[in-house]
Amino acid sequence: MNRKTAIIGTVMSALMFASVAVGSVLALYQSNKTINVHLKAGSLSAKLYLVSIVRDEVDETGHWVADKDVDLSQYVGYDQDKGVDLSVYSDSIFDDILLIPGMKGKANFKLYNTGNIAFNYTVDAVNISGDQVLFDVLEISYPQTSSSLNKGDNASFSVSYLFEDKGVDEEGVGKNNNAMGKNVTFDISVLCTQVTNN
C-alpha cells in the first residue's frame, strides 16, 4: 500500500513539475513514509438539573398558599451552584400535591451540554397515567419545539401545571367536583440528538 501511494505521489509531482518547468529532467525516486491518522468520534453528553420549584400549596391549616418556593437543599444530588442533579435524584418532582381548582406550579430546569459536539433537544411529557377526569382539567405546559445547544453551553426550560377552575353550575355546584380525590402522574423526558449536516 505504501509503495503504491509513493508512486502515485511521484507521478502527480511529475505532472505538476512538467507544467511549470518544461524540458527539465525528472528523476523518479522512492520514499518510505509512515502517516498516522488519529480519528475520534464525538461524544454526546448532557446533564439535567432541577433549578427551582414554585407552586401553590395547601398549608397545615388548610389554607391556600400561593407561589411557595420549595426548598431543594434537602433533595439528594443537590448542588448549591446548579440545583438538583437529576442523574442522582430519582424521586418525583411534583409529588402528592393536594390541588384546589385554580392552583398552579412550575419546575425550572437547566440542561448542560457536557460533550464535545452540539445537539438538538426536545422536552416531552411521558408515562402519563391516572384519572382522565382530572387530566381533562389539568393543563400541563412544557417546551413544544426542538432547540439546539452548543458544546459547553446550557439552556433553561420550565414545566408547569394549572388546575383549571371551571366555576360552578347554575345550582352552585362546582364543575370540578368530579375531579375530587383523583390523581395524575407523568414524567418529563429530554431527548438529545446530535446536530448533523443536512
Side-chain angles (χ1 to χ4, degrees):
M1 183 92 173
N2 283 340
R3 181 168 286 175
K4 286 183 182 177
T5 304
I7 293 172
I8 291 171
T10 304
V11 172
M12 296 287 280
S13 297
L15 291 175
M16 288 174 31
F17 282 123
S19 63
V20 175
V22 178
S24 65
V25 177
L26 176 66
L28 291 177
Y29 64 93
Q30 264 192 327
S31 142
N32 290 326
K33 185 169 183 177
T34 302
I35 299 173
N36 294 313
V37 177
H38 302 280
L39 300 174
K40 182 178 179 182
S43 65
L44 181 63
S45 179
K47 294 282 278 186
L48 183 62
Y49 286 84
L50 171 63
V51 177
S52 64
I53 300 175
V54 178
R55 67 185 184 207
D56 298 345
E57 292 184 0
V58 176
D59 68 11
E60 60 278 351
T61 64
H63 290 91
W64 180 337
V65 178
D67 298 327
K68 181 177 178 185
D69 285 313
V70 175
D71 179 16
L72 300 179
S73 65
Q74 303 305 311
Y75 284 45
V76 175
Y78 177 73
D79 178 314
Q80 184 176 352
D81 296 325
K82 293 183 176 179
V84 180
D85 182 348
L86 294 179
S87 68
V88 176
Y89 182 79
S90 60
D91 291 335
S92 299
I93 303 291
F94 301 118
D95 189 29
D96 277 342
I97 300 170
L98 183 61
L99 293 176
I100 297 171
M103 281 188 157
K104 64 189 182 313
K106 180 166 73 170
N108 299 304
F109 300 89
K110 190 169 275 193
L111 179 66
Y112 291 84
N113 183 341
T114 56
N116 55 19
I117 56 173
F119 60 73
N120 295 318
Y121 69 93
T122 55
V123 179
D124 199 6
V126 296
N127 300 330
I128 300 170
S129 64
D131 299 289
Q132 187 66 40
V133 67
L134 177 56
F135 190 71
D136 287 344
V137 293
L138 192 64
E139 183 182 307
I140 300 171
S141 301
Y142 53 89
Q144 298 292 314
T145 58
S146 177
S147 300
S148 64
L149 195 56
N150 295 328
K151 74 174 189 172
D153 286 349
N154 61 73
S156 299
F157 66 90
S158 298
V159 175
S160 62
Y161 63 85
L162 170 65
F163 184 14
E164 296 178 60
D165 187 351
K166 298 289 189 181
V168 294
D169 62 17
E170 58 278 344
E171 296 172 7
V173 177
K175 293 182 179 178
N176 291 91
N177 281 359
N178 57 352
M180 195 180 305
K182 307 298 184 189
N183 66 64
V184 165
T185 63
F186 64 94
D187 295 328
I188 291 299
S189 168
V190 179
L191 175 64
C192 301
T193 55
Q194 72 181 54
V195 173
T196 57
N197 185 10
N198 292 330

